[in-house]
Amino acid sequence: MDIKLSIKNLDAYYGKTKVLHNISLDIPKNKAVAIIGPSGCGKSTFIRCLNRMHEVVGGSITGSIMMDNEELSKKDPVLLRKRVGMVFQKPNPFPTMSIFNNVAAGLRLNGIRNKKIIAPIVEKCLKQAALWDEVKDNLDDSGANLSGGQQQRLCIARTLAVDPEVILMDEPASALDPISTTKIEDLIFELKKDYTIVIVTHNMQQAARVSDYTAFFYIGELVEFDVTSKIFMSPAKKQTEDYVRGRFG
Amino acid sequence: MQLHFNLEVDKLKSSLLQMASLVDQQVDSALNALENAQAELFKEIKAKDLEIDAYDNLIQTQCANIFALFQPVASDLRFIMSALMINNQLERCGDIAVNIAQRVKKTTAQKALIEESQIVDMGKQAKDMLKRTIDAFINNDIELANKVIDNDDIVDGYNKKIFKFLITKMQSNSELIEPCSHLLILSRHIERLADHAANISEDILFLLEARVASHQKKLTPPKDEN
């Protein structure tokens, strides 16, 4: 099994407050890994460490995060975020930009200006995000006019446009209706053929449905990490069992 | 989550169909062994039963995974429950095929008695039920499933007739006690085979009509205290 991200003895801090304690886990390539746990357990902090966004909000880390055997801390954060894209809980398309330009934005930021190069990439990414058929005739409309589910898929298409290797998703469907949620989950299933996906979710059923591996976090510690079927059928730790059975606390 | 769930259900269906096909072949071989006094088929049939047992384990795991990961409801839930129940019946049919083939070793010299007892005809009827219940599962055929359930009475009839015939034979000639005992056990195996075929049809009715069809002739449902 190829390992895309290898995390060793990771501690994360906000100021002097330690919020992640000695996290070690390997994230396999082209798999979906779900991070579950109650509020405040450090799920979002953990994935923000994976593209150095944690530093942007004033945090710091110790320990090691390697991507393809290279230390993340030694990489240019801007270039790193091109390789490790992120989709947030609330869809956040650029409100003044058209659908086309939302997807093209990342390319333009990276210096690609030629529309003949950009247009086929935009089409490909919208197709990968399962949005093309719904928007192909309205590419000049504002991205803000789309439904919540469409906006989230637009954000995924925007993330795909810069050709990342890893996609981090922080509660990508929690603000969406059930049908849009199904579309996002189907999309994750398709995308993992080409990308490594790490998804934070409060929804345990969603973690079970979409992921190959699941990590259970509690108060900043990694309690258990295993294949998803094992976590939901016969977890090794009682804390994990109590959480997935909904009998926590 | 449609894509992933559908993929897992397709894998489960494929496993069940492959297992059903294996069981069908095993029962066919065992009954051929009985009809043609081919005791040598036992080893082959016993070895192949391990493949059926492997499918049994695989299907149990597949169903458990689907329950744990997708929490199926409505017809999806009934399909996974039916798959578990049908898997159990098929595995038992596989064991019965082995039991029949093993017993054939003791009856190869009893061609006349076998012919007169009509046990081969009984076996053909049971095998036909098994084949048709598998067809009913593949084609979601309620009518065919109901027919299979009704046909269980035919096999039960054979079983009673053969029992009486063999008892009479044993009473008339003590030398026939041993071969007739083997045939009694064979008749019982075949009767169980037909029961499993009928049970699979009941599971198919649960899947397609959301009703429990088992034991309907014999039972009045317990009072629901709620």
Side-chain angles (χ1 to χ4, degrees):
Chain A
M1 187 171 56
D2 285 347
I3 301 301
K4 188 69 190 173
L5 287 158
S6 182
I7 296 102
K8 296 258 184 302
N9 309 116
L10 174 69
D11 292 334
Y13 301 82
Y14 286 109
K16 288 181 180 172
T17 310
K18 195 175 184 181
V19 290
L20 288 179
H21 304 265
N22 200 29
I23 308 293
S24 294
L25 66 97
D26 288 335
I27 293 176
K29 190 176 178 183
N30 294 116
K31 300 286 180 193
V33 174
I35 313 293
I36 61 169
S39 296
C41 70
K43 305 184 291 286
S44 296
T45 302
F46 174 72
I47 66 162
R48 282 188 202 130
C49 291
L50 302 182
N51 68 348
R52 297 185 59 184
M53 283 275 287
H54 180 59
E55 297 163 34
V56 176
V57 290
S60 60
I61 66 162
T62 61
S64 156
I65 304 174
M66 310 271 275
M67 183 161 75
D68 296 332
N69 298 315
E70 292 175 275
E71 191 63 58
L72 288 197
S73 60
K74 292 179 181 158
K75 291 189 171 298
D76 177 341
V78 176
L79 292 179
L80 173 68
R81 284 172 208 140
K82 190 169 168 283
R83 292 175 66 192
V84 184
M86 192 158 189
V87 177
F88 297 89
Q89 178 176 2
K90 198 162 170 253
N92 55 355
F94 301 125
T96 57
M97 285 189 192
S98 67
I99 293 166
F100 183 96
N101 286 338
N102 257 282
V103 182
L107 295 169
R108 290 188 175 127
L109 270 174
N110 282 285
I112 303 169
R113 304 272 170 200
N114 187 337
K115 199 167 177 182
K116 282 183 185 164
I117 296 172
I118 292 175
I121 296 175
V122 169
E123 181 177 336
K124 180 183 154 215
C125 294
L126 286 168
K127 280 179 177 167
Q128 276 186 300
L131 188 60
W132 175 252
D133 289 341
E134 294 162 54
V135 301
K136 64 185 174 193
D137 299 323
N138 310 304
L139 291 174
D140 293 330
D141 286 5
S142 167
N145 290 344
L146 297 172
S147 71
Q150 287 173 325
Q151 285 186 18
Q152 192 63 304
R153 281 180 281 147
L154 179 62
C155 293
I156 292 171
R158 187 178 65 193
T159 304
L160 298 176
V162 292
D163 199 21
E165 296 156 43
V166 178
I167 302 173
L168 309 175
M169 296 183 165
D170 193 354
E171 298 272 4
S174 65
L176 305 180
D177 65 274
I179 292 170
S180 299
T181 298
T182 299
K183 286 185 178 170
I184 297 288
E185 290 182 3
D186 281 347
L187 187 53
I188 293 168
F189 187 68
E190 286 295 314
L191 288 175
K192 72 181 179 189
K193 292 170 189 163
D194 299 314
Y195 307 92
T196 301
I197 294 172
V198 184
I199 174 173
V200 163
T201 177
H202 266 114
N203 181 334
M204 275 186 292
Q205 283 71 35
Q206 183 172 72
R209 289 190 297 261
V210 304
S211 68
D212 302 292
Y213 293 83
T214 297
F216 171 53
F217 279 61
Y218 183 58
I219 324 180
E221 291 185 4
L222 174 63
V223 176
E224 191 167 348
F225 177 62
D226 212 324
V227 292
T228 297
S229 58
K230 174 87 168 58
I231 292 286
F232 285 90
M233 191 123 54
S234 56
K237 302 276 174 65
K238 187 176 181 306
Q239 265 182 322
T240 315
E241 168 125 6
D242 288 347
Y243 185 72
V244 297
R245 290 175 71 208
R247 299 188 180 188
F248 207 71
Chain B
M1 186 65 187
Q2 294 302 315
L3 288 178
H4 191 188
F5 176 74
N6 291 344
L7 192 73
E8 295 303 317
V9 168
D10 285 347
K11 281 187 203 163
L12 173 61
K13 276 182 191 164
S14 167
S15 300
L16 263 177
L17 292 180
Q18 287 177 57
M19 182 188 194
S21 166
L22 266 178
V23 170
D24 189 35
Q25 287 169 31
Q26 287 281 85
V27 169
D28 201 35
S29 298
L31 293 173
N32 279 338
L34 173 64
E35 186 173 6
N36 304 312
Q38 292 173 288
E40 70 278 7
L41 288 180
F42 169 67
K43 272 189 184 171
E44 189 186 314
I45 290 170
K46 188 166 170 55
K48 218 169 185 183
D49 189 49
L50 291 178
E51 287 180 45
I52 293 173
D53 291 346
Y55 272 110
D56 176 31
N57 286 354
L58 172 68
I59 288 165
Q60 285 186 50
T61 306
Q62 287 175 319
C63 290
N65 275 339
I66 291 172
F67 278 129
L69 301 185
F70 300 99
Q71 302 88 38
V73 294
S75 58
D76 292 333
L77 172 64
R78 295 202 308 278
F79 177 75
I80 311 304
M81 288 176 68
S82 304
L84 266 180
M85 295 189 287
I86 290 170
N87 172 51
N88 188 34
Q89 303 292 343
L90 286 173
E91 194 276 331
R92 297 294 305 134
C93 290
D95 288 348
I96 288 171
V98 174
N99 293 340
I100 291 171
Q102 188 170 27
R103 192 64 55 175
V104 165
K105 288 195 286 188
K106 312 275 187 183
T107 61
T108 48
Q110 305 299 328
K111 204 166 182 194
L113 194 61
I114 288 171
E115 255 179 46
E116 209 184 337
S117 70
Q118 292 187 302
I119 198 165
V120 171
D121 294 335
M122 180 190 185
K124 283 178 181 164
Q125 181 67 42
K127 184 183 153 15
D128 185 53
M129 284 174 66
L130 183 63
K131 208 173 206 37
R132 285 190 297 153
T133 202
I134 293 168
D135 285 345
F137 176 66
I138 293 169
N139 300 312
N140 291 338
D141 190 333
I142 293 172
E143 198 182 338
L144 188 56
N146 276 313
K147 273 186 192 158
V148 171
I149 293 168
D150 291 343
N151 284 0
D152 195 31
D153 289 342
I154 298 173
V155 176
D156 287 345
Y158 268 114
N159 192 37
K160 281 179 192 155
K161 213 162 99 182
I162 290 167
F163 181 82
K164 278 182 194 162
F165 168 79
L166 293 170
I167 294 291
T168 309
K169 282 284 177 189
M170 287 191 275
Q171 284 168 340
S172 65
N173 181 352
S174 63
E175 285 184 6
L176 290 177
I177 288 176
E178 191 184 332
C180 284
S181 299
H182 291 307
L183 289 179
L184 273 176
I185 293 168
L186 274 170
S187 174
R188 173 73 180 144
H189 286 324
I190 295 169
E191 190 267 335
R192 291 298 300 145
L193 193 63
D195 283 347
H196 289 303
N199 291 346
I200 291 172
S201 281
E202 288 169 354
D203 298 336
I204 294 166
L205 293 182
F206 173 72
L207 166 65
L208 300 176
E209 296 187 318
R211 67 182 177 92
V212 177
S214 315
H215 314 301
Q216 289 301 324
K217 287 181 190 166
K218 299 170 199 163
L219 287 183
T220 50
K223 277 183 188 171
D224 185 351
E225 290 181 3
N226 298 318

